[in-house]
Amino acid sequence: MYIEKINSPQDVKALNTEEMKQLAQEMRTVLIKKLSIHGGHFGPNLGMAEAIIALHYVFNSPVDKFVFDVSHQSYCHKILTGRKDAFIFEDKYDDVSGYANPDESEHDFFNIGHTSTSVSLASGLAKARDLNGGKENVIAVIGDGSLSGGEALEGLDYAGEFDGNFIIVVNDNDMSIAENHGGLYKNLKLLRDTNGKAECNLFKAMGLDYVFVKDGNDIEQLISAFESVKDIDHPVVVHICTQKGKGYAPAEKDKENWHWCMPFDIETGRSKFEFDGESYDDITVNYLLDKMKNDKSVAVITSGTPTVAGFTKEKRDIAGKQFIDVGIAEEHAVALASGMAKNGAKPVYGVYSSFIQRTYDQISQDLCINSNPVTIIVFAATVFGMNDVTHLGIYDIAMLSNIPNLVYLAPTCKEEYLAMVEWSMSQRKYPVAIRVPGNGVVSNPNYKPIDFDNLNKYSVTKEGGKVAILGLGTFYQLGESVADEIKKQYGIDATVVNPVYITGTDKDLLAELAKTHDVVITLEDGILNGGFGEKIARFYGKSDVKVFNYGLKKEFLDRYDYNEVLAENHLTKEQICEDIKDFI
Amino acid sequence: MYIEKINSPQDVKALNTEEMKQLAQEMRTVLIKKLSIHGGHFGPNLGMAEAIIALHYVFNSPVDKFVFDVSHQSYCHKILTGRKDAFIFEDKYDDVSGYANPDESEHDFFNIGHTSTSVSLASGLAKARDLNGGKENVIAVIGDGSLSGGEALEGLDYAGEFDGNFIIVVNDNDMSIAENHGGLYKNLKLLRDTNGKAECNLFKAMGLDYVFVKDGNDIEQLISAFESVKDIDHPVVVHICTQKGKGYAPAEKDKENWHWCMPFDIETGRSKFEFDGESYDDITVNYLLDKMKNDKSVAVITSGTPTVAGFTKEKRDIAGKQFIDVGIAEEHAVALASGMAKNGAKPVYGVYSSFIQRTYDQISQDLCINSNPVTIIVFAATVFGMNDVTHLGIYDIAMLSNIPNLVYLAPTCKEEYLAMVEWSMSQRKYPVAIRVPGNGVVSNPNYKPIDFDNLNKYSVTKEGGKVAILGLGTFYQLGESVADEIKKQYGIDATVVNPVYITGTDKDLLAELAKTHDVVITLEDGILNGGFGEKIARFYGKSDVKVFNYGLKKEFLDRYDYNEVLAENHLTKEQICEDIKDFI
């Protein structure tokens, strides 16, 4: 076993080619085992084993600097840079994050988790090196669908004019999470088909030098290519063709489903995680497919994460031309949707909270200034969602809800969610975003749809006095339980309100509440700063009503236990009851 | 005169080539006159006269649909679509906006003002057409530096896979606002030099068909090219080479300074607007050039608007490699800066408030999660700045200040501004943004620098009681005048506070103020929603202190009189005094 003896990249340099090949197999074995138990990014890492060995063999990390795009393909880099134990020993699996992390190692330079950033970040390392007279190599590694993102393309364009050492390794595995989308991938295919010899070459057209590696899983070819560009005095792209999921048959065959995995059985490849409940993905895809059947102007857009709204391969095939995967290109997705709405279509853009951050300006300028009727469905917008620092779903209220003209809705149950989607797709006046609840699918058979056109009218769901609780979206049920606790502890019948609209203040209702309530509590599943509750506090600023805003602190959380986070932010019914004790 | 008879594109179709050439000259004459009196985008419009005539001659607007990028090159389109009077008659100059505007004409489809959006927006029109079985041509017009923006490149990549009619006219005038930056412009030059015949072709590499027009100011060549692509069944780029500023000698010669103009003397080309006061541009460029001289790791970054921080051509030459124009590529600019800071450089990114919107995710992910010491200087972040709906500077507080780890500072005078820049560039812990005051350069010789490392400590500049006024940044002086008015009207010595930090709440001070003050007033130069004042309201939510938040309503303003806007939002000292009357 070589892997056990690798404590730093220096140990890689001591191996011969055959030993490196063996090391690649060993890395695959530990990766497959760890991922079968722990889950994580599967295909991207299996495909990059040889390339990462070759990079560490040729270059001298951390003096030479690697920046991995998304960094979901950097597990092998972690193995080779002193972190192998976190892949070999089950009790140490959680010692490392799933992404690059400077706190773990001097071989990592950035926390990275969103796509398409490596070229730009690495170009900054290179520019600073040149200003300060350094000599090291700077290497960006990009691929796996990331090239289509605007930031990556801006970065390549900048790199094409850069006048010093800069090496961009394009890991071309012919895939994004699902199949690749975008015209540039036709050029990558042409380059693959011509052994890199086609004159028409995207990278050269961007002003970059170019080297082609036919088999990006062949250690010798890789070492030879990397040695040829080491210490180069200008920017160059090394285009390597790898096989996503290499070394595990089910993943080689079904690349999309093995991009990321839950714990699975190695023998059969079957997932150990059986989710048999109802999910908002299923609810959404079923609703939208039905809509599409009856209205050819309905179309669903994704930016490289097709299953976000439940559109598995099978469902995408049913949707046909009414399903549009633009590739990783969130900015384009929003502008496309705005244009479609303007010309009479009914576009629905499904996107994760963390990734909608990539399109603030398009939502403001392309969409909201133009008031086009687009429906955006925001998934994983919750403290209960992804918990890596780069994939949090707790900032979207602050980001979206302060953009004029947008109607941002917070459903509290399945029935309300569907009523909102229905309304949004039927109206032609507003850009609408809908925040999918983060606390699982709650059904409320007694839910009565309201006329959402009557903007910013909150729903009083339980009438009471003294204390009013505004429970937004995911936290509506918490609001109900707080009301029960208040009844239990203080004998007070609190009023419970479903605000419905994140983007508006129901001034009439708030003024009315002030007459019979001393305390107003707001609850929201996101950071408090820039959020919903602060608007309520502003409204009551001049009144005698006491306002208690509950939500999360403005901070970057990382791999947290949500119960701990909720407790730290006083988001339990007991804490809230205690907080208001002296005010009732 | 033909121009006087053009009431719709139909009237263009009745002209022969010679008459169209004459019309182009007439349009130039009225444009030069209007712009000499009114100011506006100069070079981009003069260069596009023939192309816009040819587009309207060949296509059938508004059934066929044009989308102009930035739409600062659409003045001639306005002339030909029923809006000529706004260019011919001085008393009607303000009847049209400086950008595309659907409220003005059925020939405009979007309000557009930011760059790089036309391909994506137009692709949406095309996709909706195909879903609904339409047959019209959809034409995006892009150029003038816009191609390097991430959204444009995402849009081209999508277009390369589109399977219906879609025509992209690339207006290649070899310029952005200043000279072009980015490797792709080398490819445009290669294409110009080879009459479009070079095999290496960015557009083909993106999957697009391609047509070259050598002289984009030649009506016949243009008509021939557009006729060849009319009703095409797949996406195609028509690359036309135009001369920016064509027809006005000073603009042909000095393209950068004639991109946009203030009123000028037609004979001499000299600006009639003489600004002889001190400006934050001058203060910034002088300070930074001095820094650069003594520290080679200092570098200034712009994304296609080099003069934003005072870096005219002459100053850029002095800065040399320490000045980086990345082209229109805001996302890349932030990531580049983060990378530079990580590797020991001291990057300063100068950007307008309206354009920083284009890089929310990069500020959050590439910069703030990584806590790299970048200095961002935010210009025109004020109600007193640009007043077109697409160029407002009133949203940046809501956008930036809710991102964790960022330190966003609001200086109140020149001395404080320079102290903040100095501190930001000397520390290595925080990403810092500084909001340049919008009320002109105020000097306060008595200003005493504080230790900004002591985060979120507000400065009490005048001690008093009963009423405390927190005047943020630009509105600090308004705060002082409100205090004077309160003294005059009510005989109360109000406390005046300079909050300094937009991103933090000074809880100790606020708690202290609560002991001796009944009313706290916040003043901020931006929308209230998601802003500074709401945090203060949240803090005091449970107390007896009454909080009055002043700022702007969340709305898209367009071509407003700022005095009217201030009055509508109760932002005069008299209104504020009146508002608090019953509370003191």
Side-chain angles (χ1 to χ4, degrees):
Chain A
M1 290 284 274
Y2 296 101
I3 193 169
E4 290 165 358
K5 297 176 200 131
I6 303 288
N7 293 308
S8 86
Q10 290 309 316
D11 299 322
V12 178
K13 293 180 199 296
L15 304 179
N16 65 34
T17 314
E18 282 313 309
E19 292 167 336
M20 284 189 264
K21 287 182 188 171
Q22 181 60 33
L23 174 61
Q25 291 320 310
E26 292 173 14
M27 293 202 298
R28 285 204 171 86
T29 303
V30 302
L31 281 177
I32 291 169
K33 183 178 168 215
K34 173 170 179 176
L35 292 167
S36 76
I37 295 168
H38 188 272
H41 280 101
F42 193 91
N45 284 299
L46 262 66
M48 281 293 283
E50 289 83 5
I52 287 175
I53 292 172
L55 285 169
H56 278 292
Y57 181 83
V58 171
F59 296 102
N60 182 30
S61 177
V63 175
D64 292 333
K65 296 174 173 60
F66 300 122
V67 181
F68 292 93
D69 206 80
V70 202
S71 73
H72 67 320
Q73 51 185 298
S74 66
Y75 292 2
C76 291
H77 164 76
K78 293 198 178 199
I79 291 174
L80 302 184
T81 53
R83 288 170 278 183
K84 64 177 189 314
D85 289 357
F87 294 86
I88 298 176
F89 303 113
E90 193 171 344
D91 61 336
K92 300 199 170 178
Y93 280 172
D94 280 322
D95 287 0
V96 296
S97 74
Y99 300 94
N101 190 338
D103 292 337
E104 286 175 11
S105 168
E106 61 177 352
H107 297 273
D108 293 4
F109 297 90
F110 305 96
N111 279 288
I112 298 178
H114 282 191
T115 73
S116 313
T117 73
S118 62
V119 176
S120 294
L121 287 169
S123 75
L125 298 178
K127 178 70 188 178
R129 173 202 61 202
D130 292 348
L131 288 173
N132 287 322
K135 294 284 173 211
E136 75 266 24
N137 289 275
V138 173
I139 305 103
V141 180
I142 189 166
D144 221 22
S146 291
L147 277 178
S148 60
E151 186 178 352
L153 292 165
E154 289 183 357
L156 286 174
D157 184 42
Y158 172 78
E161 209 180 48
F162 192 74
D163 63 355
N165 168 285
F166 189 30
I167 298 160
I168 300 166
V169 177
V170 172
N171 169 29
D172 177 9
N173 57 21
D174 197 23
M175 286 292 288
S176 185
I177 292 178
E179 71 283 0
N180 270 317
H181 283 283
L184 72 83
Y185 290 103
K186 291 192 247 179
N187 189 245
L188 292 201
K189 179 171 190 314
L190 175 68
L191 291 170
R192 286 197 304 273
D193 291 349
T194 60
N195 275 334
K197 296 208 172 10
E199 283 290 324
C200 188
N201 178 315
L202 176 72
F203 305 107
K204 290 185 178 175
M206 287 282 203
L208 293 150
D209 196 359
Y210 177 81
V211 170
F212 179 77
V213 177
K214 190 178 176 63
D215 184 352
N217 294 105
D218 181 287
I219 294 258
E220 280 110 330
Q221 286 183 34
L222 289 162
I223 288 177
S224 162
F226 294 149
E227 283 182 339
S228 77
V229 299
K230 187 177 179 181
D231 299 323
I232 199 167
D233 66 355
H234 61 273
V236 60
V237 162
V238 183
H239 177 184
I240 68 173
C241 306
T242 67
Q243 188 182 9
K244 194 165 180 170
K246 187 177 173 72
Y248 187 65
E252 290 180 6
K253 201 173 149 207
D254 182 2
K255 295 186 174 69
E256 176 176 345
N257 282 316
W258 285 90
H259 174 78
W260 189 88
C261 69
M262 299 293 280
F264 63 94
D265 179 79
I266 294 181
E267 285 301 308
T268 62
R270 221 170 281 142
S271 176
K272 289 184 175 168
F273 182 80
E274 290 274 333
F275 181 76
D276 55 1
E278 211 175 5
S279 80
Y280 275 106
D281 281 356
D282 294 338
I283 291 170
T284 306
V285 70
N286 292 336
Y287 176 86
L288 290 173
L289 280 176
D290 192 57
K291 275 273 165 196
M292 285 176 180
K293 224 187 311 179
N294 301 308
D295 185 347
K296 66 187 176 176
S297 76
V298 171
V300 169
I301 300 168
T302 179
S303 42
T305 59
T307 59
V308 66
F311 279 87
T312 54
K313 183 80 180 71
E314 182 201 348
K315 308 277 186 179
R316 299 200 291 274
D317 289 343
I318 297 171
K321 294 205 170 189
Q322 287 170 276
F323 185 85
I324 310 163
D325 184 348
V326 301
I328 292 171
E330 294 83 359
E331 304 176 62
H332 173 72
V334 169
L336 172 78
S338 182
M340 289 175 64
K342 176 70 184 179
N343 209 13
K346 294 175 186 154
V348 177
Y349 176 38
V351 60
Y352 291 110
S353 167
S354 180
F355 302 148
I356 204 168
Q357 297 185 181
R358 298 163 66 98
T359 180
Y360 178 100
D361 194 51
Q362 290 70 34
I363 292 174
S364 172
Q365 297 266 325
D366 296 336
L367 181 56
C368 289
I369 285 179
N370 289 291
S371 289
N372 288 327
V374 167
T375 302
I376 300 175
I377 305 183
V378 184
F379 290 85
T382 173
V383 69
F384 303 116
M386 292 178 274
N387 72 2
D388 291 290
V389 64
T390 48
H391 288 74
L392 303 176
I394 60 177
Y395 308 112
D396 59 278
I397 292 180
M399 188 190 102
L400 289 176
S401 74
N402 301 310
I403 296 175
N405 290 3
L406 186 70
V407 177
Y408 196 13
L409 300 172
T412 61
C413 65
K414 172 173 93 169
E415 291 77 9
E416 189 176 24
Y417 169 71
L418 285 171
M420 286 169 172
V421 178
E422 175 82 24
W423 169 76
S424 177
M425 292 179 69
S426 68
Q427 57 82 35
R428 304 302 295 167
K429 286 190 284 189
Y430 313 107
V432 175
I434 300 169
R435 196 169 199 251
V436 176
N439 56 338
V441 178
V442 174
S443 175
N444 176 4
N446 299 320
Y447 172 76
K448 300 229 174 357
I450 61 171
D451 178 5
F452 295 103
D453 258 323
N454 205 354
L455 287 190
N456 304 328
K457 284 286 159 209
Y458 299 174
S459 297
V460 177
T461 51
K462 182 165 170 291
E463 297 208 34
K466 283 195 179 162
V467 178
I469 302 162
L470 278 57
L472 189 73
T474 304
F475 281 180
Y476 173 77
Q477 283 80 19
L478 173 64
E480 289 186 320
S481 73
V482 170
D484 292 343
E485 189 73 13
I486 288 174
K487 176 72 175 171
K488 196 172 94 184
Q489 290 205 22
Y490 308 125
I492 294 171
D493 286 303
T495 295
V496 179
V497 178
N498 169 7
V500 184
Y501 300 88
I502 309 176
T503 30
T505 307
D506 185 346
K507 291 178 183 167
D508 293 342
L509 176 70
L510 293 184
E512 198 58 33
L513 289 178
K515 295 179 188 164
T516 48
H517 295 75
D518 305 319
V519 169
V520 170
I521 294 168
T522 69
L523 303 168
E524 66 196 291
D525 184 9
I527 58 167
L528 284 168
N529 299 54
F532 172 77
E534 290 184 343
K535 277 120 190 130
I536 307 301
R538 166 155 66 92
F539 177 85
Y540 284 123
K542 320 183 230 316
S543 82
D544 292 327
V545 172
K546 305 297 182 235
V547 178
F548 290 73
N549 295 139
Y550 291 93
L552 304 173
K553 250 192 319 213
K554 179 181 77 169
E555 63 181 332
F556 288 118
L557 297 164
D558 193 17
R559 290 166 287 158
Y560 56 87
D561 176 309
Y562 64 71
N563 283 316
E564 283 173 23
V565 168
L566 294 176
E568 278 164 22
N569 288 283
H570 271 225
L571 274 161
T572 72
K573 61 182 180 179
E574 293 83 6
Q575 288 170 313
I576 294 169
C577 254
E578 176 69 18
D579 290 345
I580 64 168
K581 189 170 62 178
D582 297 335
F583 295 84
I584 51 174
Chain B
M1 293 284 276
Y2 296 100
I3 194 170
E4 291 165 357
K5 296 174 203 130
I6 304 288
N7 294 308
S8 87
Q10 289 309 315
D11 299 321
V12 178
K13 294 179 195 298
L15 302 179
N16 65 35
T17 313
E18 282 313 307
E19 292 167 336
M20 284 189 263
K21 288 182 187 172
Q22 182 59 37
L23 173 62
Q25 292 318 311
E26 292 172 12
M27 294 203 296
R28 286 203 171 85
T29 302
V30 302
L31 281 178
I32 292 169
K33 185 179 167 215
K34 173 170 178 176
L35 292 167
S36 77
I37 294 168
H38 187 271
H41 279 101
F42 194 91
N45 284 300
L46 260 68
M48 281 293 285
E50 288 84 4
I52 287 176
I53 292 172
L55 285 169
H56 278 293
Y57 181 83
V58 172
F59 296 102
N60 182 30
S61 176
V63 176
D64 292 333
K65 296 174 175 59
F66 300 122
V67 181
F68 292 94
D69 205 79
V70 200
S71 72
H72 67 318
Q73 52 184 303
S74 66
Y75 293 2
C76 291
H77 165 76
K78 292 198 178 198
I79 291 174
L80 301 184
T81 53
R83 288 169 280 182
K84 65 179 190 311
D85 290 357
F87 293 85
I88 298 175
F89 303 114
E90 195 171 340
D91 62 334
K92 301 199 168 177
Y93 281 172
D94 281 322
D95 286 1
V96 296
S97 74
Y99 300 93
N101 189 337
D103 293 336
E104 285 175 12
S105 168
E106 62 177 350
H107 297 273
D108 293 2
F109 297 90
F110 305 96
N111 280 288
I112 298 178
H114 282 192
T115 73
S116 314
T117 73
S118 63
V119 176
S120 294
L121 287 169
S123 73
L125 298 177
K127 178 70 189 180
R129 172 204 62 203
D130 292 347
L131 287 173
N132 286 322
K135 293 283 173 215
E136 73 267 23
N137 289 274
V138 173
I139 305 103
V141 180
I142 189 166
D144 221 22
S146 292
L147 279 179
S148 60
E151 185 178 352
L153 292 165
E154 289 182 357
L156 285 174
D157 184 43
Y158 173 78
E161 208 179 49
F162 193 74
D163 62 355
N165 168 285
F166 188 30
I167 298 160
I168 300 166
V169 177
V170 172
N171 169 28
D172 176 8
N173 57 21
D174 197 21
M175 286 292 288
S176 184
I177 292 177
E179 71 283 359
N180 270 318
H181 282 282
L184 72 85
Y185 290 105
K186 291 193 248 179
N187 189 247
L188 292 201
K189 181 173 188 313
L190 174 69
L191 291 170
R192 286 198 304 274
D193 291 348
T194 58
N195 276 333
K197 298 208 171 11
E199 282 292 323
C200 187
N201 179 315
L202 175 72
F203 306 108
K204 289 185 179 175
M206 288 280 203
L208 293 150
D209 197 358
Y210 178 80
V211 171
F212 180 77
V213 177
K214 189 178 177 61
D215 185 352
N217 294 106
D218 182 288
I219 294 260
E220 281 109 331
Q221 286 183 34
L222 290 162
I223 288 177
S224 162
F226 295 147
E227 282 181 339
S228 77
V229 300
K230 187 177 178 179
D231 298 325
I232 199 167
D233 66 356
H234 61 274
V236 61
V237 163
V238 184
H239 177 184
I240 68 173
C241 307
T242 66
Q243 187 181 10
K244 193 164 180 171
K246 187 177 174 72
Y248 186 65
E252 290 180 7
K253 204 174 147 207
D254 181 2
K255 295 186 174 70
E256 176 176 345
N257 281 315
W258 286 90
H259 175 78
W260 190 86
C261 69
M262 299 290 282
F264 63 94
D265 179 79
I266 295 179
E267 285 302 308
T268 63
R270 221 170 280 144
S271 176
K272 288 183 176 168
F273 181 79
E274 290 274 335
F275 180 75
D276 55 2
E278 210 176 6
S279 79
Y280 275 105
D281 281 356
D282 294 338
I283 291 169
T284 307
V285 71
N286 291 335
Y287 175 86
L288 290 173
L289 281 177
D290 192 55
K291 275 273 165 197
M292 285 176 181
K293 224 187 310 179
N294 301 307
D295 185 347
K296 66 188 177 177
S297 76
V298 171
V300 169
I301 300 168
T302 180
S303 43
T305 60
T307 60
V308 66
F311 281 85
T312 56
K313 182 82 179 72
E314 183 202 348
K315 309 276 188 182
R316 299 200 290 274
D317 288 344
I318 297 171
K321 293 205 169 186
Q322 287 170 275
F323 186 85
I324 309 163
D325 184 348
V326 300
I328 292 171
E330 293 83 0
E331 302 174 65
H332 172 72
V334 169
L336 173 76
S338 182
M340 289 175 66
K342 176 69 186 178
N343 209 11
K346 295 174 184 154
V348 178
Y349 177 38
V351 59
Y352 290 110
S353 166
S354 180
F355 301 147
I356 205 167
Q357 296 184 182
R358 297 162 66 97
T359 179
Y360 178 98
D361 194 51
Q362 290 69 34
I363 292 174
S364 173
Q365 297 267 325
D366 296 336
L367 181 56
C368 289
I369 285 179
N370 290 289
S371 289
N372 288 328
V374 167
T375 303
I376 300 175
I377 305 183
V378 184
F379 290 84
T382 173
V383 68
F384 302 116
M386 293 177 275
N387 72 2
D388 292 290
V389 65
T390 48
H391 287 73
L392 303 175
I394 59 176
Y395 308 112
D396 58 278
I397 292 180
M399 187 190 102
L400 290 176
S401 73
N402 301 311
I403 297 176
N405 291 3
L406 186 70
V407 177
Y408 197 13
L409 300 172
T412 62
C413 65
K414 174 173 90 168
E415 292 77 9
E416 190 175 24
Y417 169 70
L418 286 172
M420 286 169 170
V421 179
E422 176 81 23
W423 169 76
S424 177
M425 292 177 69
S426 68
Q427 59 80 36
R428 305 301 296 166
K429 286 190 284 189
Y430 311 108
V432 175
I434 300 169
R435 196 170 198 251
V436 176
N439 57 337
V441 178
V442 174
S443 177
N444 175 5
N446 298 320
Y447 171 75
K448 300 229 175 356
I450 61 171
D451 178 5
F452 295 104
D453 258 322
N454 204 354
L455 286 190
N456 306 328
K457 283 287 159 207
Y458 299 174
S459 297
V460 176
T461 52
K462 184 168 171 286
E463 297 208 33
K466 283 194 178 163
V467 179
I469 302 162
L470 278 57
L472 189 74
T474 304
F475 280 0
Y476 173 77
Q477 283 80 20
L478 172 63
E480 289 187 318
S481 74
V482 169
D484 292 344
E485 189 73 13
I486 288 173
K487 174 74 175 169
K488 197 172 94 185
Q489 289 203 22
Y490 308 126
I492 293 172
D493 286 303
T495 296
V496 180
V497 177
N498 169 8
V500 184
Y501 300 87
I502 309 176
T503 29
T505 306
D506 185 346
K507 291 178 183 169
D508 294 342
L509 177 71
L510 294 183
E512 198 56 33
L513 288 177
K515 295 179 186 165
T516 48
H517 295 75
D518 304 320
V519 169
V520 169
I521 294 168
T522 69
L523 302 168
E524 66 195 293
D525 185 8
I527 58 167
L528 283 168
N529 299 54
F532 172 78
E534 289 184 344
K535 276 118 191 133
I536 307 300
R538 165 156 66 94
F539 177 87
Y540 285 123
K542 319 183 230 319
S543 82
D544 292 327
V545 172
K546 304 298 182 231
V547 178
F548 290 73
N549 295 138
Y550 290 94
L552 305 172
K553 249 191 320 212
K554 179 182 77 169
E555 62 181 331
F556 287 118
L557 297 164
D558 194 16
R559 288 166 288 159
Y560 56 87
D561 176 309
Y562 63 73
N563 283 314
E564 283 174 22
V565 169
L566 293 176
E568 278 165 22
N569 288 284
H570 271 226
L571 274 161
T572 72
K573 60 181 179 180
E574 295 82 6
Q575 289 171 313
I576 294 169
C577 253
E578 177 69 20
D579 289 345
I580 64 167
K581 191 169 62 180
D582 297 335
F583 295 84
I584 53 175

